[in-house]
Amino acid sequence: MRGQASQPIWIIITLLLALVVGITMYQLLSKTQATQTFDDWLGEIEIGNAENYLTTFCRTWETNGFVESTIDETNLAKASVSAAALTTKYFTREEFEEGEVLNPCDCAVYLWKKGFVSEVQLNQYFDPDRCHTATNDIMEASGMW
């Protein structure tokens, strides 16, 4: 009788262990896909198209009020790769490989530099604590921060 009472505990322990293993495998696969796709997307986007892709992405996001739930994660990753590919980098490859992506602050600064948003709109989204280092450097060089 005593052995039968302990079986439900082992079933629960086995299920919890399977859950932990499943979550770990999912995280490993997600990380592998993210690092693999930087070079793939960079080749797919091409340097000449990077600016167009980033401009379109940021303008669409700005139109939606920079609401993060309105964007597709794949498009966000591609835009981050595009920003890293530009001559004036708003984002770095290292940041992408660490799991970072563009945020509203980065896009607002990019759009301001391109003349698509006013200084008032920029100030609405610019937060040096949220922007990446390269974007803050661009703002500092512009004398805006």
Side-chain angles (χ1 to χ4, degrees), residues 64-117:
N64 293 326
F66 288 116
V67 176
E68 294 185 21
S69 62
T70 62
I71 56 169
D72 179 323
E73 293 298 318
T74 301
N75 289 333
L76 179 58
K78 282 184 180 181
S80 299
V81 170
S82 296
L86 295 177
T87 305
T88 306
K89 295 187 185 289
Y90 289 79
F91 199 76
T92 65
R93 179 184 182 136
E94 291 77 25
E95 288 170 330
F96 181 81
E97 289 176 349
E98 290 172 2
E100 295 277 328
V101 290
L102 286 174
N103 59 46
C105 183
D106 299 321
C107 268
V109 171
Y110 174 76
L111 291 174
W112 174 73
K113 288 293 285 182
K114 291 293 181 187
F116 292 112
V117 297

Side-chain angles (χ1 to χ4, degrees), residues 2 27 43 60 109 116 129 139 145:
R2 194 170 183 143
Q27 289 176 338
T60 302
V109 171
F116 292 112
D129 294 331
M139 288 298 288
W145 178 57

Side-chain angles (χ1 to χ4, degrees), residues 29-97:
L29 288 174
S30 295
K31 179 85 170 156
T32 301
Q33 288 176 345
T35 56
Q36 173 191 1
T37 55
F38 186 93
D39 290 323
D40 295 341
W41 284 336
L42 187 58
E44 184 180 310
I45 295 168
E46 296 179 6
I47 302 301
N49 295 328
E51 188 171 348
N52 292 335
Y53 190 88
L54 183 60
T55 302
T56 302
F57 175 82
C58 286
R59 290 194 75 189
T60 302
W61 200 9
E62 188 264 331
T63 301
N64 293 326
F66 288 116
V67 176
E68 294 185 21
S69 62
T70 62
I71 56 169
D72 179 323
E73 293 298 318
T74 301
N75 289 333
L76 179 58
K78 282 184 180 181
S80 299
V81 170
S82 296
L86 295 177
T87 305
T88 306
K89 295 187 185 289
Y90 289 79
F91 199 76
T92 65
R93 179 184 182 136
E94 291 77 25
E95 288 170 330
F96 181 81
E97 289 176 349

